Amino acid sequence: MKRVLFIGLFLIIGACSEKKDRTLPIQRPITESVYSSVTVQPDSLYEVYAIVSGILDANLVEEGDIVLKNEPLIQIINSSPKLTAENAKFTLELAKENYNGKAAVLSGILDQINAAKLKYKNDSINYFRQKNLWEQNIGSKIDYDTKKLNYELSENNLLTLQNNYQRTKNELLTTVKQSENNYRTALISTKDFTVKSKINGKVYALYKEPGEIVNTMEPLASIGSINNFIMDMLVDEVDIVRVKIGQDVLIHLDAYNGKIFKGNVSKIYPKKDERNQTFKIEAVFENPPAVLYPGLSGEANIIIAKKDSVLTIPKNYLIDDTKVETDAGLVTITTGLQNMEYIEVIEGINKDTYIYKPE
């Protein structure tokens, strides 16, 4: 008798242990979002570079200072551009002197042209005089041909010298213009010993100390907006097609544990980062925190869509993404919005249909 009771009790316990979890669909609001990492950066942040190489003489500002546009930031020492500017000035003066005709280049050609004109005039008179005589059958054929040849040679020589003069003049004018450009460029280089700010903003970083070598490839400082901050966000490539300008963003910063800030998507960069397979987007705060620093990190959810009241089921009750187990067996359902826990049911079951959690 005791053995029969024990076996019956075992069967009842086994049957209870095999019973699956079940639930009913629930009407609730649902919000679908895309996850993103967040890094806070000042708006208009840029790296400051020098146009000339040299030695850093002095940082004229400190990190955290507020600066105005065109305010000096860094002083650099380099004597090479000054010497270059002086040499460019000498070259320019020489080019101008050559062009103005005071040197022997153009004046020598002019002298040759004047002599050629006299010879051409003389040969012309002799030729036409001999031509008139020849037409009257006076004189020899040799005299006529000789004077004609001299006339033609004189004419060609004069034209050649005149063309040479104009070509030389144009070349000298081009040299003057090139020398002027080189001189202006050299002057700009001498002015760039002092690096200035391009915007009104705050100095967030100085990368070099006095005495260090400066070149044109390494940044000297980092400057950005004083109060306006943006969020650099990285979105996975499978989600980027659902992100649009203007969508709401819920931001959680590690420095403000437990507090949620609101923002909006302001920019989407079209090029994918091949290293981590993500796209960069930017967002702006609606009501930013009172204190922000560059580099603050956190995470965000970009709101893709939301509904106030829809029929939902837990996501872990889904089978093969489109089916649920009911008292009538497997049923195919049509789904809609979803978040980390729940998914919207559009059709296939109703609020009175029990569904079972798959093993």
Side-chain angles (χ1 to χ4, degrees):
M1 184 68 175
K2 289 182 179 180
R3 184 176 180 183
V4 172
L5 289 174
F6 179 80
I7 294 173
L9 182 60
F10 178 82
L11 292 174
I12 292 173
I13 294 173
C16 291
S17 64
E18 291 178 358
K19 188 176 181 180
K20 297 180 179 179
D21 291 338
R22 71 175 187 172
T23 187
L24 287 171
I26 298 176
Q27 205 81 15
R28 71 174 73 241
I30 189 169
T31 299
E32 185 172 1
S33 62
V34 167
Y35 172 82
S36 169
S37 61
V38 171
T39 303
V40 176
Q41 297 290 1
D43 193 14
S44 303
L45 184 70
Y46 81 100
E47 302 290 324
V48 178
Y49 288 85
I51 298 181
V52 296
S53 300
I55 297 175
L56 196 150
D57 183 43
N59 286 319
L60 306 178
V61 294
E62 295 182 0
E63 292 172 323
D65 284 354
I66 307 300
V67 295
L68 301 175
K69 184 177 181 179
N70 293 324
E71 181 175 341
L73 303 174
I74 298 165
Q75 183 70 39
I76 299 171
I77 299 174
N78 192 335
S79 59
S80 178
K82 290 184 178 180
L83 296 175
T84 302
E86 291 180 3
N87 291 334
K89 184 178 180 181
F90 295 149
T91 303
L92 174 60
E93 291 174 350
L94 179 60
K96 285 182 176 180
E97 185 176 351
N98 290 336
Y99 176 70
N100 291 330
K102 295 179 181 180
V105 179
L106 288 179
S107 62
I109 299 176
L110 282 175
D111 291 340
Q112 294 177 30
I113 290 175
N114 291 330
K117 284 180 178 179
L118 292 175
K119 188 175 187 309
Y120 171 70
K121 184 178 180 181
N122 184 60
D123 290 339
S124 175
I125 293 172
N126 292 333
Y127 165 66
F128 285 106
R129 180 184 296 149
Q130 189 66 38
K131 182 181 179 184
N132 290 332
L133 293 173
W134 179 251
E135 290 174 352
Q136 299 175 31
N137 295 320
I138 300 174
S140 66
K141 184 72 166 57
I142 295 176
D143 290 338
Y144 171 74
D145 290 340
T146 301
K147 288 181 172 55
K148 181 182 179 182
L149 179 60
N150 291 337
Y151 166 72
E152 291 175 348
L153 290 174
S154 298
E155 184 180 29
N156 290 335
N157 183 51
L158 178 59
L159 290 174
T160 300
L161 289 172
Q162 288 174 336
N163 291 335
N164 184 34
Y165 176 83
Q166 192 60 46
R167 183 178 64 256
T168 304
K169 186 177 181 180
N170 291 338
E171 290 175 353
L172 291 174
L173 178 59
T174 301
T175 303
V176 169
K177 292 180 178 179
Q178 290 175 340
S179 299
E180 287 177 344
N181 292 337
N182 292 336
Y183 182 51
R184 290 195 189 100
T185 302
L187 286 179
I188 292 173
S189 297
T190 60
K191 293 178 181 178
D192 285 332
F193 292 145
T194 302
V195 182
K196 299 179 180 180
S197 175
K198 301 298 182 183
I199 62 171
N200 297 330
K202 177 188 284 189
V203 180
Y204 286 98
L206 294 171
Y207 302 123
K208 296 284 187 178
E209 295 294 333
E212 291 190 61
I213 295 175
V214 172
N215 58 48
T216 59
M217 304 298 293
E218 297 178 333
L220 304 179
S222 178
I223 296 179
S225 174
I226 303 171
N227 298 316
N228 296 327
F229 286 81
I230 61 172
M231 289 164 286
D232 287 341
M233 305 166 64
L234 298 178
V235 176
D236 193 274
E237 65 173 328
V238 299
D239 296 321
I240 190 63
V241 294
R242 299 191 291 166
V243 178
K244 295 179 177 61
I245 300 292
Q247 288 176 331
D248 293 333
V249 182
L250 301 179
I251 308 110
H252 172 266
L253 296 177
D254 296 338
Y256 290 88
N257 187 26
K259 191 169 184 179
I260 302 298
F261 300 95
K262 291 184 177 181
N264 305 104
V265 176
S266 59
K267 186 174 182 179
I268 300 174
Y269 289 84
K271 190 176 187 306
K272 183 176 74 172
D273 188 336
E274 298 293 343
R275 294 171 299 178
N276 49 28
Q277 303 298 304
T278 60
F279 285 82
K280 179 182 175 182
I281 69 173
E282 289 182 1
V284 293
F285 288 101
E286 286 186 2
N287 294 301
V291 180
L292 285 173
Y293 290 98
L296 290 181
S297 61
E299 54 189 15
N301 287 294
I302 305 166
I303 307 303
I304 303 303
K306 58 182 177 180
K307 295 181 180 178
D308 294 331
S309 181
V310 294
L311 194 67
T312 65
I313 63 172
K315 290 183 70 173
N316 57 1
Y317 277 69
L318 271 178
I319 301 173
D320 296 333
D321 297 329
T322 59
K323 297 180 178 65
V324 291
E325 185 178 352
T326 68
D327 292 330
L330 284 179
V331 174
T332 300
I333 61 173
T334 302
T335 60
L337 301 185
Q338 59 180 300
N339 56 27
M340 296 295 292
E341 298 180 21
Y342 299 98
I343 187 167
E344 176 189 5
V345 177
I346 298 176
E347 61 180 25
I349 58 175
N350 57 44
K351 62 183 180 64
D352 298 319
T353 304
Y354 275 104
I355 61 173
Y356 294 89
K357 188 175 183 180
E359 295 180 354

